[in-house]
C-alpha cells in the first residue's frame, strides 16, 4: 500500500473534530428531510442515492478509486475476508433511517449521545471477537468502566424526558433506534477497515457500502409504496440533498486520519466533534420538541469524558492487579 505522510497533531486533531461535526450536521439535514417527507425510508433513499452518485463519480475520476474498484472482485474470489463483510452497508442504511425518523422527535444531541453509547458498547465486543483488521484486542477494566460510565451518561442526558410529563413510549422508542444504530456502527467500521486493507483504498469500500445499503433501501421502499403509496413529494430546497455527500466526506476524512494519526486520536477527535457539535446545533438551531436542560448538557459532557477514558492509551499493567501479583510471585520463585 502507498505510504501516507504522518499528519502533525496540531493539524490532524482539529481536523478530526471537524470530521466528527459532519455527523450531527448530516443528522439534522436528514432529520429535516424526514419531517418534510414524513417517511424515514424515503429520506434514507435520498441520502444514500446522492452519496452513491457522488462516490461513483469519485471512483471513476480518481486513479486510486479506479484501482481499488478493480481489486474488489479478486479479493472476493480469493476470500480475503468473509463475504458477509460486504453487508456492512446495511448498518449505514439503518443509521440514516433512524436519523430521518427520530431526530425531529428527540433532537440531535440525544440522538448522538444514544448512538455513541451503542457504539462504545459494541466496540468492546468487536475488539474481543477480533472482527477488524487489527485482530483481537483485550477488554481492559478501564474500557469496561468507560462503557458503563457512558450508559450512565446517556441515562442522565435523557432524564429530562421523565420530568416532561410525556408517555414513556414517546421517547423510549426514538432513543432505542439510534442506540441500536450506534451498536451496529462498530461492526461496520471493522468490516470497512478490513475491506479497505484489501482494496488498497477507502473509496471502493465506501462504494460497496453505499451500493449494498441502496439495494436494501430500494427494496424496503418499494414494499412501503405497495402498502401505503408514494408519500410526500421531494422538496425543492437544495440543502435537503447534502446528507449523502456529507456522509461520503465523513468516511473519506476518517480513513485519511486513521492512517495518519492512529485510531485512538482520530476516534477521540471525531467523538468530540459529534457530541459537542450536536449539542451546539440543539442550542443554536433547536428542532421542534427538543429539550435542553442542565442534565442534557452535563450528561452529554459526561459521555465525552467516558469516551476520553476509553480511547486514551492506558497502561495495561495499571489495571491488571492479578497479573501484577502473578508476575511478582513468579519472580520470587525464580530467586
Amino acid at each position: 500500500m502507498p505510504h501516507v505522510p504522518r499528519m502533525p497533531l496540531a493539524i490532524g486533531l482539529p481536523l478530526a473534530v471537524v470530521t466528527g461535526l459532519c455527523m450531527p450536521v448530516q443528522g439534522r439535514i436528514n432529520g429535516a428531510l424526514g419531517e418534510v417527507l414524513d417517511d424515514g425510508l424515503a429520506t434514507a433513499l435520498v441520502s444514500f442515492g446522492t452519496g452513491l452518485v457522488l462516490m461513483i463519480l469519485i471512483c471513476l475520476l480518481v486513479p486510486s478509486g479506479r484501482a481499488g474498484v478493480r481489486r474488489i472482485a479478486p479479493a472476493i474470489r480469493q476470500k480475503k475476508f468473509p463475504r458477509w463483510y460486504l453487508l456492512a452497508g446495511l448498518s449505514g442504511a439503518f443509521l440514516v433511517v433512524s436519523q430521518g425518523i427520530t431526530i425531529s422527535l428527540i433532537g440531535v444531541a440525544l440522538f448522538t449521545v444514544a448512538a455513541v453509547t451503542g457504539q462504545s458498547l459494541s466496540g468492546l465486543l468487536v475488539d474481543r471477537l477480533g472482527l477488524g483488521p487489527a485482530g483481537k484486542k483485550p477488554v481492559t477494566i478501564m474500557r469496561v468502566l468507560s462503557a458503563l460510565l457512558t450508559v450512565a451518561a446517556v441515562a442522565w442526558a435523557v432524564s429530562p424526558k421523565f420530568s416532561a410529563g410525556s408517555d414513556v413510549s414517546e421517547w423510549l422508542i426514538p432513543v432505542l433506534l439510534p442506540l441500536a444504530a450506534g451498536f451496529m456502527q462498530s461492526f461496520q467500521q471493522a468490516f470497512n477497515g478490513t475491506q479497505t486493507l484489501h482494496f488498497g483504498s477507502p473509496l471502493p469500500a465506501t462504494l460497496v457500502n453505499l451500493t449494498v445499503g441502496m439495494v436494501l433501501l430500494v427494496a424496503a421502499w418499494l414494499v412501503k409504496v405497495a402498502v401505503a403509496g408514494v408519500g410526500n413529494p421531494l422538496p425543492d430546497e437544495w440543502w435537503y440533498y447534502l446528507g449523502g455527500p456529507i456522509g461520503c466526506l465523513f468516511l473519506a476524512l476518517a480513513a485519511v486520519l486513521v492512517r495518519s494519526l492512529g485510531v485512538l486520536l482520530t476516534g477521540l477527535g471525531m467523538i468530540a466533534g459529534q457530541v459537542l457539535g450536536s449539542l451546539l446545533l440543539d442550542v443554536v438551531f433547536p428542532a421542534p420538541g427538543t429539550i435542553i436542560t442542565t442534565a442534557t448538557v452535563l450528561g452529554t459532557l459526561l459521555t465525552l469524558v467516558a469516551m476520553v477514558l476509553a480511547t486514551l492509551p492506558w497502561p495495561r499493567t495499571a489495571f491488571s492487579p492479578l497479573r501484577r501479583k502473578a508476575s511478582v510471585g513468579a519472580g520470587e520463585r525464580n530467586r
Side-chain angles (χ1 to χ4, degrees):
M1 296 181 63
H3 172 70
V4 179
R6 183 171 294 276
M7 188 179 299
L9 182 62
I11 298 176
L13 196 54
L15 184 58
V17 175
V18 173
T19 303
L21 289 173
C22 291
M23 289 302 290
V25 173
Q26 182 199 39
R28 176 56 65 87
I29 293 173
N30 287 339
L33 180 60
E35 190 173 4
V36 171
L37 297 179
D38 194 23
D39 187 342
L41 281 175
T43 300
L45 196 62
V46 171
S47 182
F48 261 69
T50 54
L52 179 59
V53 171
L54 176 62
M55 190 51 57
I56 290 174
L57 293 176
I58 292 176
C59 287
L60 288 175
L61 297 175
V62 177
S64 61
R66 295 196 299 268
V69 169
R70 289 193 293 268
R71 297 189 187 102
I72 295 177
I76 296 175
R77 286 197 303 267
Q78 298 171 16
K79 298 181 179 180
K80 296 290 187 179
F81 51 84
R83 293 185 178 180
W84 51 273
Y85 275 31
L86 297 172
L87 300 178
L90 301 182
S91 173
F94 181 71
L95 176 65
V96 177
V97 169
S98 65
Q99 287 176 339
I101 293 175
T102 64
I103 283 183
S104 62
L105 301 176
I106 64 176
V108 180
L110 290 183
F111 180 95
T112 303
V113 170
V116 169
T117 299
Q119 186 174 353
S120 65
L121 294 176
S122 62
L124 296 173
L125 179 61
V126 170
D127 279 348
R128 183 65 182 87
L129 296 176
L131 298 178
K136 292 184 178 181
K137 295 182 179 180
V139 178
T140 63
I141 294 177
M142 181 53 67
R143 293 200 65 193
V144 173
L145 292 177
S146 298
L148 294 177
L149 181 60
T150 304
V151 174
V154 73
W156 192 13
V158 176
S159 62
K161 294 291 184 178
F162 288 103
S163 59
S166 60
D167 189 85
V168 173
S169 61
E170 294 181 5
W171 63 265
L172 180 58
I173 294 178
V175 167
L176 289 178
L177 280 176
L179 187 67
F183 188 87
M184 296 169 62
Q185 286 301 294
S186 293
F187 293 91
Q188 182 187 30
Q189 292 174 3
F191 299 162
N192 286 345
T194 300
Q195 292 180 58
T196 299
L197 179 66
H198 295 290
F199 298 157
S201 169
L203 297 179
T206 304
L207 179 63
V208 170
N209 265 244
L210 292 172
T211 302
V212 171
M214 191 67 177
V215 170
L216 171 68
L217 291 171
V218 168
W221 185 74
L222 290 176
V223 172
K224 180 262 176 187
V225 169
V227 174
V230 176
N232 297 336
L234 294 173
D236 296 329
E237 291 84 353
W238 59 270
W239 60 270
Y240 280 112
Y241 304 95
L242 294 179
I246 289 176
C248 293
L249 179 63
F250 174 85
L251 293 173
L253 288 175
V256 173
L257 290 168
V258 165
R259 297 178 64 182
S260 299
L261 301 180
V263 176
L264 292 174
L265 288 178
T266 301
L268 175 60
M270 289 193 299
I271 288 172
Q274 290 180 45
V275 176
L276 298 178
S278 62
L279 181 60
L280 181 62
L281 278 177
D282 272 352
V283 171
V284 180
F285 303 106
T290 299
I291 297 178
I292 298 294
T293 67
T294 301
T296 305
V297 176
L298 295 181
T300 301
L301 295 179
L302 184 59
T303 304
L304 178 59
V305 171
M307 292 300 98
V308 171
L309 294 177
T311 54
L312 288 177
W314 296 93
R316 292 169 58 182
T317 55
F319 305 101
S320 302
L322 295 178
R323 182 177 301 174
R324 289 201 305 270
K325 290 180 180 180
S327 61
V328 170
E332 291 177 351
R333 288 194 300 269
N334 292 334
R335 288 178 182 175

